[in-house]
Amino acid sequence: MITLNINKKNYKVEADPNTPLLWVLRDNIGLVGTKYGCGVAQCGACVVHLDGEAVRSCVTKISRAQGKKVVTIEGLSENNSHPLQMAWLELDVSQCGYCQAGQIMSAAVLLKEKKNPTDQDINDAMAGNICRCGTYLRIKEAIHLAAKESSTK
């Protein structure tokens, strides 16, 4: 039995310690906002925060998450009011939307580390997140908007 703290709530999970966090989130806990994309940490659809670090949950074992705080897209804000979520909606970033949770979670760590990121900062931080629809320009614009909104609060 492993205890995981996910979105400020403790869950007791009976699973092999080597089970990828993604499958525990989706199948055991029912948090399906985190998506399966590639299974080999190449696309970024499965990004969650582990003690504030953006990690690929498809390759992160639950044993690594034990004793740490996991935040999923569902836990980023209580009512979708995170500046990134607001900017995504305002700029209509999503097309199919499949990768967007991972995009937002990666961007949230970037904005935590750099309050006013440059285009290059964004390119570097988001390089591992693939958007099959090609909304990269809107993603970058939304990150800039969220940074601007965060700095005025």
Side-chain angles (χ1 to χ4, degrees):
M1 190 71 69
I2 292 178
T3 301
L4 299 173
N5 183 289
I6 302 166
N7 301 332
K8 299 179 183 174
K9 185 176 177 186
N10 286 327
Y11 295 88
K12 290 195 181 291
V13 177
E14 192 166 327
D16 184 307
N18 293 318
T19 303
L21 180 58
L22 172 67
W23 299 119
V24 170
L25 292 171
R26 292 182 61 80
D27 296 343
N28 297 66
I29 306 211
L31 296 171
V32 295
T34 305
K35 303 298 184 205
Y36 172 78
C38 66
V40 291
Q42 296 297 306
C43 74
C46 68
V47 172
V48 298
H49 298 169
L50 186 62
D51 276 352
E53 175 190 355
V55 298
R56 308 302 169 103
S57 63
C58 71
V59 296
T60 301
K61 298 173 183 181
I62 59 171
S63 58
R64 180 176 171 208
Q66 188 171 16
K68 297 181 179 175
K69 292 181 178 160
V70 177
V71 178
T72 68
I73 190 70
E74 293 93 345
L76 191 60
S77 70
E78 291 183 22
N79 57 0
N80 296 326
S81 62
H82 188 281
L84 284 164
Q85 293 168 314
M86 302 294 286
W88 246 250
L89 290 172
E90 184 175 330
L91 298 177
D92 200 22
V93 172
S94 298
Q95 269 187 256
C96 83
Y98 197 81
C99 70
Q100 298 306 308
Q103 300 276 0
I104 290 171
M105 295 304 283
S106 292
V109 171
L110 168 65
L111 291 183
K112 187 178 74 169
E113 293 172 354
K114 294 190 180 218
K115 302 295 182 204
N116 189 22
T118 65
D119 280 350
Q120 190 60 53
D121 292 333
I122 294 170
N123 290 344
D124 293 344
M126 303 301 290
N129 289 74
I130 296 171
C131 175
R132 291 179 179 110
C133 298
T135 64
Y136 299 110
L137 295 177
R138 291 195 305 242
I139 289 168
K140 186 182 293 185
E141 188 179 347
I143 293 170
H144 280 302
L145 177 60
K148 180 180 171 188
E149 292 297 321
S150 294
S151 70
T152 60
K153 290 183 179 181

